[in-house]
Amino acid sequence: MMQVEAIHKAIDGRPILRGISFTIEPGRIMGLVGRNGTGKTTLMRTLVGIYDPDQGSVAFEGMDIHKYPELKRDVVFVPDAPVALEAYTIRECAAWYGQIYPSFDLFYFTEAMERFKLPMNKRVRTLSKGMKMLFSTALGLSTKARLILFDEPTNGVDAVTKKQLLSLIVESLRKDSSILISSHMLNELDRIADTVVLLRDGRTDETWDLEQLRQHMKKLQVVFTATEPPAWLAREDVFVLQQVGRVYTVMLESDEAFTALKREEPMFIDELPLSLEDWFMWKSGGDGDAA
Amino acid sequence: MQRSIFVRALWWKEYRQTRVLLWLMMIAGFFSTAYLHMREVWFASPQVIVGLVEYLAKTQETNWLLHRNYGGFMLLLVLGGFLLSLWQLGHERRNQMSEQTFALPYPRWVIYVTKWLVSVAYIVFVVTASVALDILVLKLSQVGAYVHVIDFIGRGFHIIFVTVAAYTFTLFIGSFTGTWTLQAALSIISLFLYEFFTLMLQQLLYIFMITPIYMELRLRGTFWEKFNLTNWVFHEGGNYPYAFVGVVSLLLFIAGMVLYSRNSLENNGKLVLFPIIEKLFIVGFVLCAALFSGNLSYDTLYPGRLGYAAGAGLGTIIGYIIIRTLTRMRVRT
C-alpha cells in the first residue's frame, strides 16, 4: 500500500531522518515507536506530504505522494491535537471534511459523536483534551481513507477515553485499509498493533511482526546457582532487563540462547509474558525511557 | 491526474477563515462612500442641498461627487487587502494551521491561487457593492441628474486594480516569510524603501563628491520609481502605470505561487523560510543599517567623509549582529 524508501530529512541543518524504509501492508495496524526526538512526528508529516523529504520517496500504490497530492484523499493524518480546527464547530468540520474526502461517512461520524456525547454545534476549542482527541480520531476515521496516520492519539487523555479511542480505531480497520500509530504508550500498541517499526537515531532500526516477535523471543526469570554472573549473560542474543541478587529477568532472541541456558543448569527458570515494552527497552538502548 | 483550479473545500476554508475581514471591508466601504454622500445629499439642510444643485447646474463639475476620487475608500481597501494577506499566510503559519493545509489532497499552487482568488472576489464584491450603493444614494437624491455612472465605474475599476496589485505584493511577501510579524513588517517597510534609498544614496553621492550638491537623483519615470509600492497606491495625476503595475503584479503572483509550493513548513517561525532569500535579506538589512548609520553619524557627530565612513562601519557591525540574532531566532508556532 505505502512504500517508504530511504527517507532523509534535516531540520535546521540537523539530520532528523537518516534513511527510513518500510512498507505498510493493507489490513494491518502498524505501530511507530522510538524515543523522544527520534523523528516520529517528522516522519509522519513527511509521509503525508506536509514536509518534503531531502532524499528518498514515499509511494502510495506506486505513486509518489509528493508529486500527486490527490493521493492524499486516501491518506489522512490525525495530529496529536486538532489545533487547526479549533475555530470551527464539530458540524462545520464534518461538512468541510465531506467536501474534501469523497468517501466521508457522515452517518458514522454523527453516530460516533452521539456515542461520545459530543454536541455537533460545539466549537472544537471548547472541548476537553480527551474530547478533542475523540473528535479528531472519529473525524479522521470517517474519511474512510485507506491509510490513516495517528500521531500520539492517546497522549494526555484519561484511561476511559483511551479505551474508547483505541476501540474506535481497531473497529474501523478494514481488509483494504491500514492504520499507522505513533505512540509512547507501548502497552497500548502491544494490544492493537500487528507490526511495530522502531525508530532510532532517525533510522528504522527494526520492523517486527508482533506475532512473530512473541514466537521468536522469550522473557524469562532465571536464578543461577553461582554468585558470579555466568558468561551466558554476555551473549549478543541475551538482554538483562533486571537483576536482583542472583535473580535475573532476561530476554532471549534465539532458541540457541535457550539451549545454552539449559546447559548452565540454573536453579530456576520461569517464562514470563513478553511485552512490547520489554522489547523496546532492549532495542532502544536499554535505559527504558518512554518511546 | 485531473486537477481543478476551483476547489470548493478550499474556498470554504478561506471564506470561513477570513469572513470577518470581508464584513469589515464592507462596513469600511459603506462609511467611506455611500454614508458620506447620504450625509451631504440626504441629511443636510435643504439650503445646503439646493446650493449643491445650483453649483452643479452652473459649473457642471461633477467630479467632486466621487469624493476626491474615493481616496479614503481605496486606502481602507488596501489596508483590508494587507490584513487579508496576513491572515491567509502569516497567521496560518501559527498553530499547525499550515500543516493541516498542506496535508489536504490539493497541490500547493492551487491552495495559493485559491487564497488569491478569494481575496480578489472580496475586493471586487466590496467595490461593486459600495460603488453601486453610492450611485443609488446619489441617483435618488436631488443631484441625481448630474451623476455620470461611467465615472464611478472607471474609478471602481481603478480601485480594484490598485487594491489587487497591493494585495498581490503583500501576499507574495507572505510566501517566503516564516512569521506574520515579518510579513507585516516587510510589507510596511516596502512602502518607505524607495524614499529611504533615494534619500540615503543622494546623501552618499553628495558626501563622496560623486555628484555635485545641486544634482538630484534622476529617478522619475524609471523602473525604480514605478516599482515603488507607495506610488502604486498614492499615484497622483494622470498616466497611472497600469501596464507596468499589471505585469509586475502578475510576476509577483507567479513568484509567490512558486515559493509557496516550495515552502518548507519545518522552517515556520523563522524569519525567512528559504536560506537563499534569508541571505539576501541579511545583505539588504545590513546595507540599510550601514547607509542609515553613516548618514546619522555625518549629520550628528562629524560632518565629513570620515564621520560617514565610521558611522557606516559601525552600522554594518551592529546591523549584522541584530539580523543574525533575529534570523537564528524561531518564534513559537
Side-chain angles (χ1 to χ4, degrees), chain B residues 88-99:
Chain B
Q88 288 177 315
L89 284 186
H91 178 73
E92 218 180 70
R93 298 198 188 283
R94 296 174 67 241
N95 296 335
Q96 301 176 16
M97 278 168 81
S98 43
E99 277 82 351

Side-chain angles (χ1 to χ4, degrees), chain B residues 292-313:
Chain B
F292 180 74
S293 305
N295 210 36
L296 194 71
S297 165
Y298 177 85
D299 285 341
T300 56
L301 297 175
Y302 183 79
R305 288 179 188 176
L306 194 66
Y308 188 93

Side-chain angles (χ1 to χ4, degrees), chain B residues 236-280:
Chain B
E236 283 182 356
N239 299 325
Y240 187 87
Y242 285 108
F244 182 88
V245 175
V247 170
V248 171
S249 298
L250 181 68
L251 292 175
L252 288 178
F253 171 67
I254 295 167
M257 199 165 66
V258 172
L259 289 174
Y260 187 75
S261 301
R262 293 173 185 191
N263 267 194
S264 304
L265 291 195
E266 63 271 21
N267 290 338
N268 273 357
K270 291 174 89 177
L271 283 189
V272 180
L273 296 175
F274 300 90
I276 181 108
I277 299 178
E278 189 182 88
K279 284 191 179 75
L280 290 174

Side-chain angles (χ1 to χ4, degrees), chain B residues 115-127:
Chain B
K115 286 178 187 296
W116 188 83
L117 284 175
V118 166
S119 296
V120 171
Y122 280 12
I123 292 163
V124 171
F125 175 72
V126 171
V127 172

Side-chain angles (χ1 to χ4, degrees), chain A residues 115-116 129-131 133-134 137 152-171 181 183-189 191-192:
Chain A
R115 191 166 130 196
F116 302 130
K129 166 81 182 162
M131 282 172 159
M133 282 320 292
L134 278 172
T137 303
E152 311 274 2
T154 56
N155 202 9
V157 299
D158 65 64
V160 179
T161 313
K162 209 176 278 182
K163 204 174 167 191
Q164 289 174 317
L165 253 166
L166 293 175
S167 61
L168 194 69
I169 292 172
V170 173
E171 281 165 21
I181 306 179
S183 180
H184 280 79
M185 312 297 168
L186 297 173
N187 55 336
E188 290 157 10
L189 283 182
R191 276 186 284 157
I192 63 168

Side-chain angles (χ1 to χ4, degrees), chain B residues 30-72:
Chain B
F30 171 75
F31 279 104
S32 57
T33 56
Y35 176 70
L36 294 179
H37 279 142
M38 282 162 88
R39 278 177 52 189
E40 281 174 3
V41 297
W42 283 10
F43 308 133
S45 65
Q47 292 95 320
V48 172
I49 297 172
V50 168
L52 282 176
V53 177
E54 281 173 0
Y55 174 78
L56 283 170
K58 198 170 146 188
T59 62
Q60 294 295 316
E61 269 188 28
T62 55
N63 200 36
W64 68 269
L65 288 174
L66 286 171
H67 259 300
R68 286 182 291 280
N69 287 331
Y70 282 150

